[in-house]
Amino acid sequence: MAGSDLLQQGIILQCLSNHSVASPSIASVTYFPTHPSYTCTLQSYIRNLRFISPTTPRPLFIVAPSHVSHIQASIICCKVHGFEIRIRSGGHDYDGLSYVSESPFMILDLFNLRSVSVNLEDGIGTAWVDSGATLGELFYAIGQKSNTHGFPAGVCPTVGVGGHFSGGGYGNMMRKHGLSVDNVVDAKLVDVGGNVLDRESMGEDLFWAIRGGGGASFGVILSWKIKLVSVPEIVTVFRIEKTLEQGATDIVHQWQYIADKIDENLFIRVVLLPVNKKHLQSIKAKFIGLFLGNAGKLISVMNGKFPELGLLPENCFETSWIESVLFWSNYPIGTSIQVLLDRQPQPEKYLKKKSDYVQEPISKENLQGIWKKMIELKRPALTLNPYGGKMSDIQEHETPFPHRAGNIYKIQYSVTWKDEGDEALERSLDQIRKLYEYMTPYVSKSPRSSYLNYRDVDIGINENGNASYSEAVIWGRKYFKDNFDRLVQVKSKVDPGNFFRYEQSIPCLGSWKSVMAE
């Protein structure tokens, strides 16, 4: 290694040490490329193999803070030396924006900050959860304390709390209890000046912004105080698969008319997959349900509102809420809830995701056209997540997440592949983009909306992370609609130098150069 690089490492490490506590030492959680654990630490939380290639830009160093002063020191030293910060809590960042940059950068990886403290003594129940904890760790902690409390969040246990909450956080209890951010009551954040703020000291504007506006635009969120929700001791889950030959078109068509209007205790997701076998080209529709109640009540609801699916008692599995999380994560029935503490997901893949919102049911004829396109493209899949219920009761402006009343369901587009190389990458990206383009007539317009936690650089980026308003509004309106302008106002107030910036960070009206000159 060149002497100049070693000198730079020494200067950076001295800066970090000068601005943090002596114990625990920041040096013990700082990884330069010469450190034997650098590559392992970098790759441990990369969930998309697209960003593990030899040509992917790598951070100058990684700090995995175990004390708040490590975060404060990282901010100070990056300002002094002109580095960008990427903040990573779990790595489920579909386009890698939390751990890749074209500019010189470091990663602030929060995996050491993962405590969960559940308090059931204050009525309904609350919890403080660190941003570096996973959803699985949060759910496990709740389940250890109570079988009648839960929290509305995603169904993938290895997702990090920090990114999930700050982007909105949806899951299979959203129709009953709203998003994760609808149940956040306090937070602790380190701002650009290194100050540790809670809800009272940060003010309601900033507290509003981090609950769905993407926390990494405004600071480093340490932890969140959440309000737990009541769940019955017995919930019911089911999974039913239908092909086109088994009437899937009629069932999906009807699902659109009931999914957002049926009992708010019931959430029915539909996963649509192309089937390309030698003697069969078809579509498989998986209907996956969670009902906050027993199987008898569920059968009654389904017979009355959605008999087309043909749900039978033998399709239903009664369980506790915490065990239903395992079912939704595709673990076999009877798996120990200890698996929720496993931070490493199943073998990773190359992937690309996109999103849309549907506000009018798609006709059977047009569904058949979609099936034909999916079969032609072979790989892209669609996941339909119903809205309605509590989601329609909350006003668009209450949080930065604006996709509330008027949306029947959200679409996640997904393509995964295992082959390395540019050819497989371009082929797969072309497939998902063609399906997204085909869907244009059937989804929301003006703007064609997207979900922030399904990060998608196709809809626009800030060049070099330093956007003008006119550049950022192109993608910003798709994520936030009219809430984008308020987010810009908050950003301009709390980070006027635009220190916290990346390809889809909220822009401010100032110049980042003023901060670099400090």
Side-chain angles (χ1 to χ4, degrees), residues 351-411:
L351 59 89
K352 173 65 182 176
K353 311 272 187 173
K354 300 177 74 65
S355 59
D356 260 323
Y357 287 87
V358 175
Q359 299 173 334
E360 298 289 339
I362 301 172
S363 70
K364 289 183 186 179
E365 180 182 4
N366 289 330
L367 286 176
Q368 289 166 343
I370 295 168
W371 309 155
K372 182 179 178 182
K373 190 67 176 178
M374 291 177 69
I375 292 169
E376 171 194 321
L377 294 171
K378 294 189 165 105
R379 298 193 68 86
L382 301 178
T383 299
L384 317 181
N385 291 290
Y387 273 49
K390 182 76 169 179
M391 293 297 290
S392 295
D393 297 337
I394 299 172
Q395 298 299 306
E396 286 190 3
H397 64 269
E398 288 188 37
T399 68
F401 179 96
H403 314 295
R404 305 287 189 169
N407 294 295
I408 302 175
Y409 57 95
K410 173 177 61 188
I411 300 176

